[in-house]
Amino acid sequence: MNDILFAIAISIVNALLSLALLSIYYKNYTKMKSKFSLGLLFFAGFFVLQGLVAAYLQFFMSGSCAREMTDIAVTLNLIEALGLSALLVVTVSPC
């Protein structure tokens, strides 16, 4: 049960990282109004949605999932968290 809670926590962290990116991209879009900024808004928005849906599904399907599926979910969530963290660092760092 602890593994699935860890997977859920990472999914929530991923949603929060994506939400931070979404707010930065929204500020950039309001200033620049470029198609690229709009694309980044959609990109981050879908990642927020994905993180929340993943946490929801992992919570409500935790009793029916095999141990191997939980390990896969944790691994994929960790990889996503690393990627989103790197993207957030690059996004907020000065040129």
Side-chain angles (χ1 to χ4, degrees):
M1 185 65 177
N2 286 337
D3 289 340
I4 196 66
L5 293 177
F6 186 57
I8 293 168
I10 298 170
S11 292
I12 292 169
V13 166
N14 287 341
L16 292 173
L17 289 169
S18 299
L19 196 60
L21 286 167
L22 184 68
S23 73
I24 293 168
Y25 295 155
Y26 177 75
K27 289 176 189 174
N28 289 342
Y29 178 72
T30 57
K31 291 177 187 175
M32 294 184 256
K33 303 283 188 197
S34 72
K35 289 182 181 181
F36 182 73
S37 296
L38 183 62
L40 289 174
L41 266 174
F42 280 108
F43 172 81
F46 283 121
F47 267 105
V48 170
L49 182 63
Q50 185 271 337
L52 295 175
V53 169
Y56 174 82
L57 291 176
Q58 289 164 354
F59 180 77
F60 285 105
M61 297 181 70
S62 61
S64 62
C65 292
R67 168 88 175 139
E68 293 80 18
M69 291 303 293
T70 302
D71 293 341
I72 292 169
V74 168
T75 303
L76 291 175
N77 288 344
L78 282 173
I79 291 169
E80 183 180 342
L82 289 172
L84 289 171
S85 297
L87 186 58
L88 186 59
V89 166
V90 168
T91 301
V92 299
S93 66
C95 295

